[in-house]
Amino acid sequence: MDTTAVGKQEAYQSSSDFEFDSDEYDSDPEVPLESIQKSKTIVFSIRANYTNWAPREAFRELVQNWRDGVIKSFQLAERDFCVIREEKTSGRGTEIVYKVLQTGPDDEKEWLGYIRFTTKGGNTAGTVDLTNRAATLQPRHLDLGGTTKAGDSHQAGAHGEGLKLALLVLMRGRQNHSVRCRSGGFNWRFNFTTRGRLVCRLHRMSSQAIHKAEDQARRLSQRTLLPFAAKPAGDVQFVIGETHKGRDEWGNSLRRSGVTRQEFDDWIKTALFLCDNVGDGAAIVSTEYGDLLTDPRLRGRIYLKGLLLGESTPTRSASITNRPLKFGYNFAHGRTNRERQSVAGAGEEAEAILAIWGRVLAAKPDMAAELSEMLNNPTPPTYADVMGAETSMGLEMATVLRDYLTGHPSSRKWYYSGDDKAKNPRLDHIIQGLGYEGAELTKVCWTILRRHNLLRTAEEEAQHRFTAAPLIANVDAGSTFATSVRRLLSACGYACPKTKGMAFRFVQAGQLHLDLLYSEAEKTFRVHDRWLSARGAVDELGLPENLPEADIVFHIVKRLFSDGLEQLPVTAFRAVEVKDARTTEWRRRLEISLSEQRLLSYLRLFGPNLDVVLDSGGLLVAWGWRPDARCDLDTVVNIQCHKASRCGHLRSKLLTAEDAHTDNLACLTPGDQNACRVYRANYRREQEARIDDLVDGEEYFVVLLTPGDPDSFVGISSIIRWTSPAPRSQGPNDLTAPQRITVEPEEFSSPQLHMPLPGSSSDSDISPEEGIDLASGLAPSPSAGSSLGSESNTSDISAMPEQEPANAESRPVASNPRPTSFMLGPRLDALDIFKVDRERWYEARSNDDMRAVIGILSGEKILPEESRKRRRLDED
């Protein structure tokens, strides 16, 4: 109320009433107003230093009581508590009014209460008046612990001491504001005693004084922004800032100070419903559990039912956890601690914040960006906004978060946790294989999404995709290149003790970038089918396009098997012996090296091709590509000839020498007349063997192995149908000679490079450079054949079963076929080989499309297969 409303001391009190000389007063606050005849003085035991509240916390307590009184008196729902602000400035001063409006069924307006700040003339300080209608203040409301709000969900306070503390704080220290009240037909005035205690003096107003005060209030409301005239007997009215005499907290007499505009603006912040222009637009997102405050002016604050509990500063957070707050919050439900600075506990605060966010995300899913930013804050400490999220965030809220993170296909991000990164050194490779870019989530965010099974790890996703990809039922039905990859990769797995018994299955994985994935549960490696194509492998590995297929297969199998060993768990490589101090990584690398060596040994032993030569007596089998330092003169090579009709299934099962050992194959049982046959030869001394006594029209395939090394890989030829050659008459220049057919083994198909076997004439697919033309019409010539080296390196061996005793061993008689001869044309017949280009290939073809290739090299060349003995040179 304006001070002019109480201009006369008779309407309020005499000046002598401000003198409190001693503490000898009645201290019974339980007496009701009706029992007070004229006056009563109540002295409280609390002193000025009882609380650390600031003036605005004291004002907040008065506003809380004012708002709670309005809601209770008119039985309002909290959502119906509506405050309207008006301001008027003139030469007479400034007036700001916040008034509570209730609209009736017929749109009639009723004003329920107001808060008014006013200054007069040029004064910068004025008074603050808080009035709510149809309410009464009783002395018991001033008693410590005496509250009527306990159990009332619409009331913000529940401790019963807030009013006394507010009075004490407003009057003490530099603020030095007076406080008086009118309620129930009494004047209430507050001060300190001479000993610094809080004291209240109640004085009953006469009927004339009440009538006069009402008349003054009515005239005041007519010329100001006040919505109604206060009634001393029916309303509650507090006035702060009148400049009359009083005592400070030390008992000294002084004149009270008015309230400045700056103070009032600061006090208004304590009530969200009094803050100017913050309820518009997106500044406040309201939910049934409270409000999310996004306005920059409100961030860092926590309100309870619209009343400020705390405001963050650079040194202190408003949160009870003291963690930083990114947003502000107004809780619709909750209890405060005794100091009204926070809700009852950290758990209650976290639960209230999460409840608000849950409803905010349901209404505005785009706010998930803000939630994600808080959860994935890279710099500690964690925001107080998400302190309880790790354990308390529900599925609905987590799903919105997941949808935000994964809902932008163009970003191509795959999320992982720091722990996943530390435990899986191949994580980046797996993510790249999925076609994504890695993005790390904080432990809190990752835990939330994983707890609700909303995200897969990269390894889980790869396994899921590989598992869902259709299997290739029969790799061998494709190209010989695919079969070679499949067989050698399976052989590597079978020969390695860490992967023995595990399967390699090729899948149609489409655009999936992963090469291979191991499933611990299934003990299976799933392999992308891109590796079954030479072109796809060359592109993936970045190899030269003209590389022989044998080399391509080697690189593929080496890479895939190495990758497979890298995916095995560390436990697979633990030391068997306790004293072995070498690391598991060392043992992993050892198995990788051993597998590579087995591949190299296979190439050295059997080369990229197995040559099978058909002649009138049977099949000639040739092996060997280049010397293997590990194979001495006594290294034994077994040649097995199997009937396809009986043993065709072995072609896909035989991987290592151990598999093909005679003791493990029923078809090699001694005494069986239909048993398949085994020949034994020496690797260094013999590189060809003939298999005879074949059944006309029967299909065969050949298996080569070194039984001395059980982990070595076997070579298997294609299936060959044997047909006895029909006899024919020989011309004068004809030579009986077998026709050599190169049968490429299942492991390798090499149309670009067909290496000749040592000591034998063999086809070559190396494209010759442009050189001296060879005669196109070629006729057989023994002399010409001798000039190209017709001496055969075929050994005389005879067929014998592997199981016969060594002392009964005999070698099959080897054929000594005469190689196909070529007659040099006239251009080469007179060729001076010392004058032609060096380092070039020259070729010719026979009438039956057989090729001969000759190369003239500079200097003396010694081939790896050649004897190291010095060659004689004719002196003449």
Side-chain angles (χ1 to χ4, degrees):
M1 177 179 289
D2 195 296
T3 53
T4 58
V6 288
K8 294 185 178 180
Q9 297 296 330
E10 181 181 348
Y12 181 52
Q13 57 196 12
S14 64
S15 60
S16 62
D17 288 336
F18 285 104
E19 301 297 330
F20 293 94
D21 296 329
S22 71
D23 293 338
E24 300 300 327
Y25 298 101
D26 185 358
S27 58
D28 180 14
E30 292 297 324
V31 59
L33 292 179
E34 294 80 5
S35 64
I36 301 175
Q37 296 297 322
K38 184 176 180 182
S39 64
K40 186 175 182 64
T41 301
I42 302 174
V43 179
F44 301 95
S45 60
I46 59 173
R47 298 183 181 272
N49 60 354
Y50 180 79
T51 180
N52 59 0
W53 279 4
R56 70 174 186 173
E57 276 78 29
F59 180 77
R60 175 201 62 195
E61 194 66 25
L62 295 179
V63 171
Q64 172 184 317
N65 290 334
W66 169 77
R67 193 272 309 269
D68 292 348
V70 171
I71 290 176
K72 185 174 182 179
S73 296
F74 295 92
Q75 298 181 349
L76 293 179
E78 192 169 342
R79 63 179 179 274
D80 296 330
F81 184 82
C82 176
V83 176
I84 298 176
R85 182 183 186 275
E86 290 184 312
E87 180 175 354
K88 182 175 69 175
T89 302
S90 64
R92 294 184 176 182
T94 298
E95 182 182 17
I96 302 173
V97 176
Y98 296 88
K99 44 192 178 182
V100 182
L101 173 66
Q102 183 181 36
T103 303
D106 298 328
D107 291 335
E108 68 275 13
K109 295 181 178 180
E110 182 181 11
W111 301 101
L112 311 181
Y114 66 83
I115 297 176
R116 177 175 181 250
F117 170 76
T118 181
T119 63
K120 293 181 65 69
N123 294 334
T124 59
T127 60
V128 178
D129 176 3
L130 298 90
T131 300
N132 55 292
R133 293 176 52 197
T136 301
L137 186 68
Q138 292 287 345
R140 68 175 183 275
H141 295 150
L142 299 176
D143 189 25
L144 284 174
T147 178
T148 61
K149 301 177 183 179
D152 191 339
S153 61
H154 297 291
Q155 307 296 300
H159 294 284
E161 62 183 11
L163 177 58
K164 296 171 291 299
L165 299 183
L167 300 172
L168 184 149
V169 170
L170 288 172
M171 293 188 298
R172 75 182 180 188
R174 290 188 299 177
Q175 48 269 22
N176 187 35
H177 301 309
S178 65
V179 182
R180 69 173 176 87
C181 173
R182 270 185 181 161
S183 180
F186 279 79
N187 282 318
W188 305 53
R189 51 193 182 89
F190 305 93
N191 208 343
F192 291 112
T193 67
T194 54
R195 298 183 181 180
R197 291 183 178 179
L198 180 64
V199 63
C200 174
R201 176 78 174 179
L202 287 84
H203 181 81
R204 180 180 288 274
M205 299 174 65
S206 64
S207 57
Q208 295 83 359
I210 292 175
H211 178 76
K212 188 172 184 179
E214 290 177 346
D215 185 59
Q216 292 175 338
R218 184 165 44 264
R219 291 196 303 269
L220 183 64
S221 65
Q222 294 173 352
R223 66 176 188 268
T224 64
L225 299 176
L226 288 176
F228 60 86
K231 297 180 178 180
D235 302 333
V236 174
Q237 181 181 45
F238 277 90
V239 179
I240 307 169
E242 293 174 327
T243 55
H244 53 65
K245 290 183 179 181
R247 292 187 184 275
D248 62 16
E249 61 268 36
W250 308 108
N252 300 318
S253 178
L254 77 172
R255 181 166 292 278
R256 299 293 185 184
S257 303
V259 179
T260 66
R261 173 67 183 271
Q262 182 178 358
E263 284 181 296
F264 181 71
D265 289 342
D266 184 54
W267 292 358
I268 288 300
K269 295 178 183 178
T270 62
L272 186 61
F273 47 83
L274 298 181
C275 294
D276 187 24
N277 297 326
V278 297
D280 301 331
I284 298 180
V285 184
S286 297
T287 76
E288 60 187 286
Y289 294 108
D291 305 325
L292 175 67
L293 311 179
T294 63
D295 191 299
R297 296 171 295 175
L298 303 178
R299 295 194 179 201
R301 299 181 188 176
I302 293 181
Y303 293 84
L304 174 61
K305 300 176 184 178
L307 298 171
L308 184 68
L309 295 182
E311 182 178 16
S312 299
T313 66
T315 58
R316 176 72 189 177
S317 171
S319 169
I320 193 173
T321 65
N322 202 29
R323 303 266 183 168
L325 280 166
K326 186 174 183 181
F327 292 94
Y329 299 93
N330 176 33
F331 302 148
H333 312 284
R335 298 172 296 110
T336 66
N337 61 5
R338 183 163 292 276
E339 290 294 323
R340 309 284 206 279
Q341 294 175 337
S342 66
V343 290
E348 183 176 335
E349 178 184 280
E351 183 179 348
I353 292 176
L354 277 182
I356 292 174
W357 269 105
R359 290 297 181 264
V360 168
L361 292 181
K364 303 181 67 175
D366 58 299
M367 288 297 292
E370 298 287 357
L371 179 63
S372 174
E373 183 178 341
M374 290 188 293
L375 288 170
N376 292 291
N377 178 31
T379 58
T382 304
Y383 282 110
D385 310 61
V386 292
M387 277 297 293
E390 184 172 353
T391 57
S392 302
M393 184 182 292
L395 175 61
E396 182 179 356
M397 187 173 173
T399 301
V400 177
L401 175 63
R402 188 276 312 273
D403 292 344
Y404 164 75
L405 291 172
T406 61
H408 304 281
S410 59
S411 66
R412 304 296 296 172
K413 289 184 179 180
W414 192 269
Y415 297 98
Y416 62 89
S417 69
D419 289 343
D420 193 19
K421 177 80 170 179
K423 294 177 182 178
N424 191 349
R426 300 182 65 261
L427 182 63
D428 291 337
H429 175 73
I430 295 175
I431 293 176
Q432 291 173 5
L434 292 172
Y436 287 85
E437 177 184 351
E440 184 173 351
L441 297 177
T442 61
K443 182 180 179 181
V444 172
C445 187
W446 178 259
T447 302
I448 292 170
L449 298 174
R450 289 286 288 177
R451 180 164 54 85
H452 293 291
N453 297 318
L454 295 175
L455 282 186
R456 291 192 184 107
T457 65
E459 191 168 7
E460 290 170 346
E461 177 66 14
Q463 186 168 352
H464 171 74
R465 295 190 188 184
F466 262 67
T467 303
L471 291 172
I472 299 178
N474 187 7
V475 175
D476 295 347
S479 65
T480 55
F481 180 89
T483 302
S484 301
V485 173
R486 193 272 306 167
R487 280 186 49 79
L488 280 180
L489 183 58
S490 298
C492 285
Y494 187 82
C496 176
K498 307 301 182 183
T499 55
K500 195 165 188 176
M502 299 179 183
F504 290 83
R505 303 190 184 280
F506 287 84
V507 295
Q508 299 174 5
Q511 299 300 316
L512 191 61
H513 292 280
L514 287 180
D515 299 336
L516 173 146
L517 185 73
Y518 174 65
S519 170
E520 176 70 19
E522 300 176 355
K523 301 295 182 183
T524 299
F525 293 93
R526 283 181 167 81
V527 188
H528 200 298
D529 63 345
R530 79 163 64 90
W531 298 107
L532 298 177
S533 163
R535 170 57 57 190
V538 166
D539 293 342
E540 185 70 20
L541 296 171
L543 298 175
E545 293 186 359
N546 59 347
L547 197 67
E549 286 188 1
D551 290 7
I552 298 174
V553 172
F554 170 77
H555 287 293
I556 291 174
V557 176
K558 173 185 174 182
R559 170 165 170 168
L560 291 177
F561 192 68
S562 174
D563 189 14
L565 289 178
E566 292 288 354
Q567 295 188 34
L568 292 181
V570 176
T571 54
F573 299 93
R574 286 178 179 170
V576 178
E577 299 180 3
V578 179
K579 295 182 179 180
D580 191 350
R582 287 171 293 195
T583 64
T584 55
E585 185 59 29
W586 181 90
R587 296 186 189 87
R588 191 194 303 268
R589 302 309 305 173
L590 173 63
E591 295 299 336
I592 292 175
S593 299
L594 290 176
S595 66
E596 293 177 5
Q597 184 58 51
R598 294 184 189 106
L599 284 172
L600 292 173
S601 296
Y602 173 83
L603 292 176
R604 291 193 180 107
L605 285 169
F606 304 127
N609 303 307
L610 289 181
D611 277 352
V612 177
V613 179
L614 298 177
D615 67 2
S616 59
L619 300 178
L620 286 180
V621 182
W623 63 89
W625 183 21
R626 60 183 64 173
D628 190 341
R630 301 190 310 157
C631 296
D632 54 27
L633 296 176
D634 297 326
T635 298
V636 174
V637 176
N638 275 7
I639 308 104
Q640 299 177 359
C641 181
H642 294 273
K643 293 180 181 179
S645 60
R646 178 180 181 180
C647 304
H649 64 284
L650 295 177
R651 299 183 68 252
S652 61
K653 293 184 177 181
L654 299 181
L655 300 174
T656 64
E658 182 182 9
D659 296 333
H661 195 276
T662 55
D663 294 339
N664 297 328
L665 297 178
C667 64
L668 301 177
T669 303
D672 186 353
Q673 293 182 353
N674 296 320
C676 298
R677 285 173 286 173
V678 180
Y679 299 87
R680 184 161 55 189
N682 184 279
Y683 173 74
R684 290 277 188 160
R685 292 172 182 162
E686 301 93 25
Q687 292 185 330
E688 284 188 353
R690 189 175 69 180
I691 303 173
D692 51 14
D693 295 332
L694 302 176
V695 179
D696 190 22
E698 184 74 57
E699 291 183 334
Y700 297 90
F701 65 93
V702 177
V703 177
L704 293 183
L705 64 141
T706 54
D709 185 1
D711 291 333
S712 62
F713 304 154
V714 301
I716 302 179
S717 75
S718 300
I719 295 177
I720 310 156
R721 178 181 294 275
W722 165 253
T723 303
S724 299
R728 64 184 179 91
S729 60
Q730 295 181 347
N733 292 328
D734 288 343
L735 294 175
T736 301
Q739 181 181 5
R740 177 179 295 275
I741 299 176
T742 300
V743 182
E744 294 174 330
E746 188 127 339
E747 292 78 43
F748 294 94
S749 173
S750 182
Q752 293 88 358
L753 175 59
H754 181 153
M755 296 297 293
L757 294 170
S760 64
S761 60
S762 176
D763 297 344
S764 174
D765 290 339
I766 300 179
S767 301
E769 297 182 12
E770 294 288 339
I772 299 175
D773 293 337
L774 299 175
S776 58
L778 302 177
S781 171
S783 62
S786 300
S787 67
L788 290 173
S790 62
E791 187 174 53
S792 175
N793 194 30
T794 304
S795 302
D796 294 334
I797 61 176
S798 59
M800 64 165 283
E802 170 74 5
Q803 60 273 11
E804 291 185 13
N807 55 9
E809 177 180 339
S810 63
R811 300 182 180 278
V813 178
S815 65
N816 189 13
R818 302 176 63 185
T820 301
S821 301
F822 291 83
M823 179 181 291
L824 296 179
R827 297 184 60 181
L828 288 178
D829 195 41
L831 181 64
D832 184 352
I833 64 173
F834 296 102
K835 295 182 179 180
V836 300
D837 292 340
R838 304 295 195 267
E839 316 298 336
R840 287 196 175 187
W841 293 103
Y842 299 85
E843 75 167 309
R845 291 183 181 270
S846 66
N847 290 334
D848 53 356
D849 203 36
M850 296 294 291
R851 295 173 59 201
V853 180
I854 183 172
I856 302 175
L857 309 177
S858 300
E860 182 180 354
K861 300 294 183 180
I862 300 178
L863 298 176
E865 308 87 319
E866 201 172 353
S867 172
R868 294 297 178 180
K869 294 182 179 180
R870 183 176 182 80
R871 287 183 281 183
R872 289 187 176 182
L873 299 175
D874 295 336
E875 295 181 356
D876 45 324

